[in-house]
Amino acid sequence: MFRGKSLLCLLDFEDNEIEKILEVSFIMKNYVYSNNVPKSLAGKKVALLFEKPSTRTRVSTELAVSLLGGIPIVLNKQDLQWSRGEPVEDTARVLGRLVNGIGARVLSHLTLIKLKEFSGVPVFNLLSDLSHPLQALADIMTIREKFGDNFVKIAFVGDGSDNVLLSLMTIVAKLGLELHIATPKELKPKEDLYKVINEIAEDNGSIIEFYEDPYEAVRGVNVVYTDVWVSMGQENIAEQKKSLLRNYRVTSDLMKYTAKNAIFMHCLPANRGEEVESEVIDGPRSAVWDQAENRLYTTMAVFSLFI
């Protein structure tokens, strides 16, 4: 079903394929906890390229390859001739001769497309300006650990143009869930992408709604999710975004309007006192540490199925 494919964006996959990845993610977690991980990548080499700094993604991807018996080759951009102007196409051609797969955390999604086109091996999006598919898979895995297969309502509070949100919107649309997005009208997603996602949502009975009032968005939801207000590479518009989002902070007061069993999620890193209060992210309703751990198991699932 997956062997030899790339994972650049969840829009490229059907709901049953996403469900299969999630199923294998839970299996991988059980394997790790029982210290019985199958070595499905034995003898295989995976290059992990980082154009941007990383904590969770770097550790989870390197560990995933190692646990599956493969050889991870971690490369920061400055380690490569790429940093001195070598075309991405040439880097891709060389890596394609030497490794069995490439994971890349990049500034531009176009870089991933070039790596896929010119390497000839599976390429995995470890975060781009467009999406963060491995994060969305870990998000849903975490939600299912907390709520099972019950129908849940999710609220995202913050930047509506966020790349993490785009992947969350996509997986919600594919799997028939409900998502409320609280964001200023100036920060809504690009219309062309939203149109595609909304059509998928309508076909699957999913609900994706926008709110300008965060209190309305979180009313009765089971999950409240946020992300940093200013992503890497957006420093030039940092103050503008902070001004727009100053009323979209996840606070203890905001969480009072959620369902009694509601959890808080954040893909990390977090800026306490900016997009979220310390009392929320460090409180008993926070699921962010489970969410971070689950990045390992969804990555293991993807690598074992695709490479």
Side-chain angles (χ1 to χ4, degrees), residues 1 18 23 36 41 59 93 101 122 134 181 192 213 239 253 259:
M1 179 186 290
I18 293 172
E23 176 189 337
N36 188 32
L41 294 187
V59 174
R93 289 184 178 103
L134 292 178
I181 302 167
D192 55 344
D213 182 350
E239 293 309 313
D253 186 62

Side-chain angles (χ1 to χ4, degrees), residues 9 27 49 61 64 72 141 145 169 172 177 191 193 203 252 279 300:
C9 181
I27 292 171
L49 311 183
T61 52
M141 181 181 181
E145 282 185 326
M169 289 171 62
V172 162
L177 303 175
E191 186 61 35
L193 290 171
D203 289 342
S252 298
E279 292 81 2
M300 290 176 69

Side-chain angles (χ1 to χ4, degrees), residues 113-127:
I113 294 171
K114 290 179 179 178
L115 286 170
K116 175 186 175 183
E117 181 178 353
F118 290 93
S119 71
V121 299
V123 173
F124 306 98
N125 182 356
L126 307 185
L127 183 141

Side-chain angles (χ1 to χ4, degrees), residues 157-158 226-231 234 237-239 241-243 245-251 264 266 269-279 281:
V157 180
T226 193
D227 192 4
V228 294
W229 289 349
V230 182
S231 299
Q234 295 185 335
I237 58 171
E239 293 309 313
K241 290 191 74 176
K242 289 179 182 180
S243 177
L245 291 164
R246 65 181 182 273
N247 295 323
Y248 292 84
R249 180 178 291 111
V250 179
T251 64
F264 171 75
H266 194 307
N271 294 314
R272 289 167 174 80
E274 195 163 280
E275 73 274 4
V276 60
E277 284 185 345
S278 298
E279 292 81 2
I281 191 170

Side-chain angles (χ1 to χ4, degrees), residues 7-298:
L7 174 54
L8 304 190
C9 181
L10 290 172
L11 285 170
D12 300 328
F13 293 85
E14 301 298 328
D15 56 345
N16 65 306
E17 294 175 314
I18 293 172
E19 289 288 3
K20 181 63 178 179
I21 295 171
L22 289 167
E23 176 189 337
V24 176
S25 299
F26 281 101
I27 292 171
M28 287 296 169
K29 188 166 188 174
N30 289 333
Y31 282 148
V32 171
Y33 273 61
S34 63
N35 198 28
N36 188 32
V37 180
K39 306 304 179 184
S40 58
L41 294 187
K44 294 185 178 180
K45 303 167 287 292
V46 183
L48 302 171
L49 311 183
F50 291 90
E51 192 176 9
K52 302 169 71 172
S54 174
T55 299
R56 282 146 296 279
T57 300
R58 173 161 179 171
V59 174
S60 61
T61 52
E62 185 173 358
L63 188 55
V65 175
S66 297
L67 286 170
L68 292 167
I71 303 168
I73 305 166
V74 180
L75 299 163
N76 295 317
K77 184 177 180 178
Q78 59 266 30
D79 299 327
L80 302 169
Q81 294 297 335
W82 181 18
S83 66
R84 299 179 63 221
E86 180 174 74
V88 173
E89 294 88 339
D90 291 357
T91 301
R93 289 184 178 103
V94 171
L95 290 176
R97 298 293 186 97
L98 300 173
V99 301
N100 304 99
I102 300 170
R105 186 180 182 94
V106 297
L107 291 168
S108 171
H109 196 78
L110 180 60
T111 300
L112 294 171
I113 294 171
K114 290 179 179 178
L115 286 170
K116 175 186 175 183
E117 181 178 353
F118 290 93
S119 71
V121 299
V123 173
F124 306 98
N125 182 356
L126 307 185
L127 183 141
S128 73
D129 58 336
L130 177 68
S131 67
H132 199 353
L134 292 178
Q135 180 65 56
L137 290 164
D139 295 341
I140 297 301
M141 181 181 181
T142 306
I143 290 169
R144 288 191 173 174
E145 282 185 326
K146 303 298 181 183
F147 300 104
D149 292 328
N150 297 318
F151 181 80
V152 297
K153 294 181 181 180
I154 306 165
F156 183 94
V157 180
D159 181 2
S161 63
D162 186 81
N163 51 2
V164 169
L165 174 59
L166 182 74
S167 290
L168 182 64
M169 289 171 62
T170 301
I171 205 165
V172 162
K174 296 275 187 178
L175 300 184
L177 303 175
E178 182 170 340
L179 176 63
H180 301 174
I181 302 167
T183 192
K185 58 181 182 296
E186 296 89 344
L187 294 176
K188 285 188 176 182
K190 293 180 180 178
E191 186 61 35
D192 55 344
L193 290 171
Y194 174 64
K195 182 179 179 182
V196 172
I197 293 172
N198 195 49
E199 289 174 354
I200 295 169
E202 289 179 354
D203 289 342
N204 292 327
S206 306
I207 298 171
I208 299 177
E209 296 179 336
F210 285 88
Y211 298 78
E212 289 192 40
D213 182 350
Y215 283 87
E216 285 298 316
V218 305
R219 194 177 298 278
V221 302
N222 309 99
V223 179
V224 177
Y225 198 140
T226 193
D227 192 4
V228 294
W229 289 349
V230 182
S231 299
M232 287 178 283
Q234 295 185 335
E235 289 77 13
N236 61 319
I237 58 171
E239 293 309 313
Q240 177 188 352
K241 290 191 74 176
K242 289 179 182 180
S243 177
L244 287 169
L245 291 164
R246 65 181 182 273
N247 295 323
Y248 292 84
R249 180 178 291 111
V250 179
T251 64
S252 298
D253 186 62
L254 187 70
M255 292 295 292
K256 292 177 183 176
Y257 291 78
T258 65
K260 289 183 178 180
N261 64 347
I263 60 173
F264 171 75
M265 296 177 66
H266 194 307
C267 56
L268 300 176
N271 294 314
R272 289 167 174 80
E274 195 163 280
E275 73 274 4
V276 60
E277 284 185 345
S278 298
E279 292 81 2
V280 175
I281 191 170
D282 298 318
R285 303 174 83 176
S286 176
V288 299
W289 319 115
D290 299 319
Q291 190 182 357
E293 179 188 344
N294 286 338
R295 288 292 308 280
L296 171 62
Y297 313 121
T298 55

